[in-house]
Amino acid sequence: MKYYHSTRNSSISVNGAQAVLQGIAPDGGLFVPENFEKLDLEGLFSLDAYGLFARVLCALLGGWTEREMRETVVTGYRGRFETEEVTPLVTAGETHILELFRGPTSAFKDVALSLLPHFITRAAREERVTDEIRILTATSGDTGKAALAGFADVPGTSIAVFYPHGGVSEIQRRQMVTQRGQNVRVCAVRGNFDDAQTGVKAIFANEGLKARLKEKSVRLSSANSINLGRLAPQVAYYFKAYGDLLRRGVIRMGDAVNFAVPTGNFGDILAGEYARHMGLPVGKLLCASNRNRVLADYLATGVYDRRREFFHTASPSMDILVSSNLERCLHLLSGGDCALVADQMGQLQRQGYYRTPESVMKAFRRDFFGGYASDEDCFRAIDGLYRETNYLMDPHTAVAYAVSRAYRESTGDNRPMVVLATASPYKFAPDVLRALRQEDAQGFAALRRLQEKTGVPIPKNLSELEGLPELHRDVIDVSQMPEYVEK
Ligand SMILES: *Cc1c(COP(=O)(O)O)cnc(C)c1O
């Protein structure tokens, strides 16, 4: 049996099923594994992609046999991802690009959200929870669709997604409002993303509402990226990428590989640190930020300070000032010092900043490199790599690519570099066109224009959107959200 405890208190301890069902620990901390199992790499790399994912997932989430896990992985990915490789590795110039966006919504969040519903329903069975699990999500665009696609028609679950009315791109809106499924609801909220998010948080804190739902055998849950079930699948693709480099003769077993990660909430890059603790030879993890460079500043100074201006950038999924999963890394790199974590998170909440002791920052700087790229840097990177190699990146991926180039130049570290590609360029076609210095276009016209220019195929899930009927037309005020969830 594996156990997990809160980052803020090691005596708050649960099993894997409870960690997945609860999402967040009752003291506000995040669940972390008590220890990391070291994997036998030779054995792991002899498996196919599904088998590799299954083995890594079994090592992270307790209580599964490898066979059951493989079945779940196959159910989640086969026929839904474009390739049986799940996360293919491609090479462009000197850089290896790990494509995490080949799933049903062309966003990297598909990798985790295609499995999470199965983890949740299985955890509910294990814990003898018979209630329907109703997922509530506020989204600024990407997460909502990936969650809808993951939970649609999964027995025992339902999902409601709230997005800011007029606050997502036309493609993102179409992706959500065309979602099929008996158990899905999509609703626009008058207000911005923060209003929708605050509305969802208020529902989770509304005891009266939860009691009424309980009478109807409904229990609320979230598909938030702090859930252990969302983190675990992300660890697997670091192993997958390393195995691919090995097979292609780029590296020999034991060689260290660097990874550049476009970072927002710190989940994706934390997964790389977890892979390191499970025995993968990870070199530097490049933590790439956009103009909202809280993390780059933190790695440079040891001070995490969210008291700063918030910028809207061309990489909106990284426009974040509080990176929740950093808490797990702080726990790990402080040697499991829960008192320190609780103290620092308390300071963040009370005063908006904290300073991490130099001894812990030393460990951070050993494992991570922090960098950032402006929109201009990012556009230049898209254009530059496309001209050199014909590889087309989305703006999030381009932030990581730009940081990887700057890192190489400033350090001379020439170990193989894998850049994590987190979205299809077609999800952000208007900005990619701008980067390539093409005429402005919006919506589906931008998709077509980008395809004409580059010849890169439009992912089917995006091209077929134009012809799909809009099934969800609700628009409500924040004050109506509780009522909406109840019915
Ligand atoms: C969510 C997201 C990220 C950031 O990932 P984190 O795990 O939050 O750091 C980067 N790029 C895209 C396209 C995303 O959707």
Side-chain angles (χ1 to χ4, degrees):
M1 192 63 131
K2 287 188 164 49
Y3 289 96
Y4 306 82
H5 65 75
S6 166
T7 43
R8 302 184 192 179
N9 181 348
S10 60
S11 62
I12 299 181
S13 176
V14 297
N15 66 29
Q18 289 159 341
V20 166
L21 274 183
Q22 292 179 27
I24 190 163
D27 63 347
L30 310 186
F31 289 117
V32 288
E34 302 237 290
N35 46 52
F36 290 93
E37 192 177 314
K38 288 264 193 290
L39 296 174
D40 159 37
L41 297 181
E42 300 274 1
L44 188 67
F45 296 143
S46 69
L47 302 170
D48 67 358
Y50 300 137
L52 179 146
F53 268 79
R55 186 165 295 172
V56 174
L57 284 163
C58 279
L60 277 162
L61 304 171
W64 294 70
T65 67
E66 209 167 298
R67 209 173 128 205
E68 283 173 307
M69 187 61 92
R70 187 186 160 91
E71 276 169 22
T72 299
V73 168
V74 169
T75 306
Y77 293 154
R78 181 172 280 161
R80 294 163 47 88
F81 275 64
E82 285 173 38
T83 147
E84 303 244 315
E85 292 292 302
V86 188
T87 57
L89 187 73
V90 302
T91 297
E94 295 178 342
T95 303
H96 306 281
I97 298 187
L98 179 59
E99 295 190 334
L100 306 177
F101 59 81
R102 296 294 180 186
T105 80
S106 300
F108 107 92
K109 291 180 174 69
D110 287 330
V111 179
L113 282 165
S114 300
L115 300 184
L116 183 68
H118 304 288
F119 295 161
I120 288 181
T121 49
R122 145 112 188 198
R125 274 202 307 281
E126 219 169 288
E127 291 298 306
R128 301 185 200 295
V129 172
T130 53
D131 296 343
E132 173 193 314
I133 311 258
R134 185 163 299 173
I135 303 291
L136 301 187
T137 302
T139 184
S140 55
D142 268 8
T143 307
K145 177 60 183 185
L148 286 165
F151 281 91
D153 291 328
V154 173
T157 72
S158 59
I159 176 165
V161 167
F162 299 97
Y163 69 94
H165 189 43
V168 300
S169 77
E170 174 57 10
I171 299 289
Q172 287 174 325
R173 190 190 68 84
R174 294 277 305 181
Q175 277 192 301
M176 291 189 277
V177 300
T178 55
Q179 178 66 48
R180 291 173 218 263
Q182 288 300 314
N183 62 341
V184 308
R185 293 287 180 279
V186 178
C187 182
V189 176
R190 290 186 198 94
N192 59 25
F193 168 65
D194 279 330
D195 297 326
Q197 170 108 10
T198 306
V200 166
K201 283 189 181 155
I203 293 170
F204 280 115
N206 185 335
E207 297 301 331
L209 171 66
K210 284 196 287 191
R212 288 195 298 281
L213 287 173
K214 179 86 195 130
E215 280 170 25
K216 297 191 222 167
S217 301
V218 174
R219 163 202 282 243
L220 295 180
S221 186
S222 117
N224 201 292
S225 78
I226 54 182
N227 193 308
L228 185 72
R230 271 194 62 180
L231 196 54
Q234 302 182 5
V235 180
Y237 50 65
Y238 284 87
F239 285 94
K240 175 75 173 57
Y242 192 94
D244 287 345
L245 289 175
L246 207 53
R247 209 166 302 118
R248 295 176 198 176
V250 177
I251 53 170
R252 279 180 301 188
M253 185 65 100
D255 289 349
V257 172
N258 298 331
F259 292 88
V261 189
T263 297
N265 215 9
F266 210 79
D268 206 5
I269 194 165
L270 174 73
E273 184 67 7
Y274 277 14
R276 182 202 302 282
H277 283 258
M278 295 168 76
L280 190 70
V282 174
K284 277 277 192 258
L285 289 164
L286 275 61
C287 175
S289 304
N290 60 28
R291 196 175 174 200
N292 296 295
R293 45 184 255 209
V294 193
L295 288 165
D297 290 347
Y298 176 64
L299 287 164
T301 64
V303 178
Y304 193 99
D305 193 343
R306 70 168 159 89
R307 300 167 305 169
R308 61 178 71 208
E309 193 179 341
F310 174 86
F311 298 106
H312 289 279
T313 74
S315 42
S317 297
M318 298 157 66
D319 290 344
I320 283 180
L321 294 182
V322 177
S323 301
S324 314
N325 268 304
L326 183 64
E327 176 169 350
R328 283 190 165 110
C329 206
L330 195 55
H331 180 271
L332 186 62
L333 296 182
S334 65
D337 189 342
C338 295
L340 175 79
V341 176
D343 181 55
Q344 304 237 295
M345 293 304 122
Q347 288 184 41
L348 183 64
Q349 190 155 33
R350 281 192 310 277
Q351 60 193 33
Y353 73 97
Y354 59 87
R355 175 184 290 281
T356 297
E358 201 40 44
S359 56
V360 180
M361 289 318 296
K362 247 174 93 178
F364 264 105
R365 291 187 195 114
R366 178 195 62 212
D367 293 356
F368 294 89
F369 169 87
Y372 63 93
S374 66
D375 280 355
E376 230 168 78
D377 298 334
C378 150
F379 287 173
R380 215 177 298 124
I382 292 173
D383 192 44
L385 188 67
Y386 180 71
R387 275 163 203 276
E388 283 164 33
T389 69
N390 271 341
Y391 190 84
L392 193 61
M393 292 183 286
D394 101 290
H396 301 77
T397 308
V399 167
Y401 177 76
V403 168
S404 80
R405 293 290 290 251
Y407 170 80
R408 268 199 179 130
E409 269 162 39
S410 68
T411 62
D413 177 352
N414 274 323
R415 287 180 287 194
M417 177 76 71
V418 174
V419 172
L420 273 58
T422 49
S424 160
Y426 283 102
K427 285 208 78 172
F428 302 93
D431 277 334
V432 174
L433 280 171
R434 270 180 61 199
L436 300 179
R437 289 171 271 169
Q438 298 296 300
E439 257 170 67
D440 276 359
Q442 296 300 321
F444 293 99
L447 300 191
R448 283 190 291 268
R449 182 105 198 81
L450 190 56
Q451 182 169 38
E452 277 161 27
K453 159 77 185 155
T454 64
V456 175
I458 304 175
K460 192 159 158 286
N461 77 80
L462 297 179
S463 63
E464 72 187 11
L465 279 181
E466 206 170 0
L468 294 181
E470 296 199 5
L471 305 171
H472 306 274
R473 297 181 174 278
D474 298 331
V475 184
I476 62 172
D477 290 321
V478 175
S479 61
Q480 295 169 295
M481 286 171 66
E483 188 191 333
Y484 190 85
V485 168
E486 222 171 321
K487 66 168 216 279

